[in-house]
């Protein structure tokens, strides 16, 4: 059967990495079914970490254009979205193909150590990097993507490997984003045409590549995506996860998300992402993570982004605080430029978040949701808890004295401090016999994050 191949985008059919170990041994703790896999306890580093940085980088960073720029190829070729069609007509010669962008992915300023330094300074505890987005370009030398990867074309560097080394040097955990599907991979299209009854793509590309990623880079987290067109039985997700949890070199530390096939999200896998930017209305009973991009209109870099479309620091902190109080992790995204630079505006947001966490981090890292998540005083309050301490994070400085909280129940042992001044106990008085306290707030300089944390000891 003739495969619809593109000249610079060829998958050699002879290549076959043996599907090592996917049928696991008899001492396996986890069986290849969801009942068994879903019962695996989530390694605890993930809940304690709370904050991660998401990085979208690939060939899409070269055009770096339009809403959800990481989908550029799809908007242009499949959707024929007018913005992208016009952009190409105006700026590129006729016959220019998406794959022709790859040689311009130079990454000449990519310094993994300076990226890792910025990520560390943001207060994040893990980094999730696009090893491969839906375009199929691998940011590592995948044998299954021999002329569509960052070593053979473009940067001529192993971007995943270099970043992995740099983030680990700074004790950050390494997460790898991996798209199961590839829009235009000939074998994927072949399987799609069969109604996903055949597994050519999964056998020759997806599974060998996932195993290769795990063996080569030993990620602490696999952020799966691009699952939605086909059922998990097509992707063999349960077989892969059973191998990952039973026999892989990261079996005890690895964390995964929930995008493992049509209908899986918010239901199966490790922690839940559910939909992008998921915002639960009440406390979920399963660990979750919200991913959110500083550029509200794109995950990949957009050269045409405007300042007014970016989240400012108070909005980032507000969003993060809500997520943490609701038991989630916050995965904040930036899209680096094709030359390897992180736009200074993103860097400034990340350092701002880190400065805030430097003071307030105790209310965030390793915290647990409290018995009540939020209340509205003169400003919005979100609660977190750790051991016997409750933290009330306030969004905005209260205009009136004293500042009143209605939910905590005080005792004679109650002590209140503002985390900016940990050594200065604040004066407080109960509101009623049973609940609430009025706090005399100190005079505070303006804070760029517009959020503060009260530490309440001896309250229930
Ligand atoms: C999952 O696998 C376990 C262990 O093999 C088995 O006991 C259980 O019945 C399976 N569950 C389903 C729903 O297939
Ligand atoms: C998927 O798993 C099934 C059941 O174990 C197996 O028969 C099939 O060969 C696997 N497919 C691939 C592509 O590994
Ligand atoms: C607090 O106020 C906001 C905005 O008015 C509202 O959406 C939210 O439900 C309120 N929360 C509580 C706990 O009353
Ligand atoms: C909370 O308790 C654990 C063990 O019970 C202890 O290791 C940890 O230091 C405590 N954390 C704080 C912030 O007191």
């Amino acid at each position: 059967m003739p495969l619809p191949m593109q000249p610079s985008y060829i998958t050699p059919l002879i290549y076959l990495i043996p599907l090592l170990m996917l049928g696991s041994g008899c001492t396996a703790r986890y069986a290849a079914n969801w009942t068994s896999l879903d019962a695996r306890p989530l390694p605890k580093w993930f809940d304690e970490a709370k904050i991660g940085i998401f990085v979208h980088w690939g060939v899409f960073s070269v055009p770096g254009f339009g809403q959800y720029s990481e989908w550029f190829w799809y908007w242009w070729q499949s959707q024929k979205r007018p913005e992208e069609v016009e952009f190409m007509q105006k700026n590129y010669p006729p016959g220019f193909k998406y794959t022709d962008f790859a040689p311009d992915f130079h990454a000449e300023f990519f310094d993994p150590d300076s990226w890792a330094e910025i990520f560390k300074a943001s207060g994040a505890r893990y980094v999730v990097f696009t090893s491969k987005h839906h375009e199929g370009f691998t940011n590592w030398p995948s044998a299954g993507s021999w002329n569509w990867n960052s070593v053979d074309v473009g940067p001529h560097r192993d971007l995943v490997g270099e970043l992995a080394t740099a983030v680990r040097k700074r004790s950050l955990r390494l997460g790898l984003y991996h798209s199961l599907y590839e829009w235009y991979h000939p074998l994927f299209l072949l399987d799609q045409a069969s109604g996903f009854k055949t597994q050519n793509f999964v056998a020759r590309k997806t599974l060998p590549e996932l195993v290769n990623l795990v063996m080569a880079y030993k990620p602490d987290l696999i952020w799966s995506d691009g699952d939605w067109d086909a059922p998990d039985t097509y992707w063999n997700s349960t077989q892969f996860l059973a191998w990952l949890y039973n026999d892989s070199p990261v079996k005890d530390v690895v964390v995964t998300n929930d995008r493992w096939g049509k209908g899986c999200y918010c239901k199966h896998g490790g922690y839940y992402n559910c939909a992008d930017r998921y915002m639960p209305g009440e406390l979920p009973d399963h660990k979750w993570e919200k991913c959110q991009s500083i550029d509200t209109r794109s995950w990949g870099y957009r050269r045409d982004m405007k300042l007014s479309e970016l989240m400012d620091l108070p909005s980032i902190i507000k969003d993060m605080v809500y997520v943490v109080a609701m038991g989630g992790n916050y995965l904040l995204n930036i899209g680096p430029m094709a030359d390897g630079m992180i736009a200074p505006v993103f860097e400034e947001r990340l350092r701002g978040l880190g400065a805030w966490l430097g003071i307030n981090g105790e209310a965030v890292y390793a915290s647990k949701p409290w018995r009540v998540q939020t209340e509205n005083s003169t400003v919005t309050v979100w609660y977190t808890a750790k051991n016997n301490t409750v933290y009330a994070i306030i969004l905005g400085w209260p205009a009136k004295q004293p500042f009143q909280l209605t939910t905590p129940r005080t005792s004679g042992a109650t002590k209140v401090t503002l985390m900016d001044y940990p050594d200065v106990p604040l004066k407080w008085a109960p509101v009623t016999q049973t609940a609430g306290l009025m706090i005399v707030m100190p005079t505070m300089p303006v804070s760029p994050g517009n959020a503060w944390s009260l530490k309440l000891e001896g309250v229930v």
Side-chain angles (χ1 to χ4, degrees), residues 10 15 35 104 132 178 181 203 261-262 267 302 357 444:
I10 300 166
Y15 132 78
T35 315
D104 287 335
K132 179 192 83 170
H178 174 269
Y181 87 155
K262 195 183 207 154
K267 211 160 115 196
R302 285 188 304 141
L357 285 164
M444 279 295 296

Side-chain angles (χ1 to χ4, degrees), residues 415-431:
K415 183 180 161 199
V416 182
T417 45
L418 190 72
M419 294 204 47
D420 301 67
Y421 299 128
D423 303 327
V424 186
L426 303 180
K427 283 193 184 131
W428 65 273
V431 177

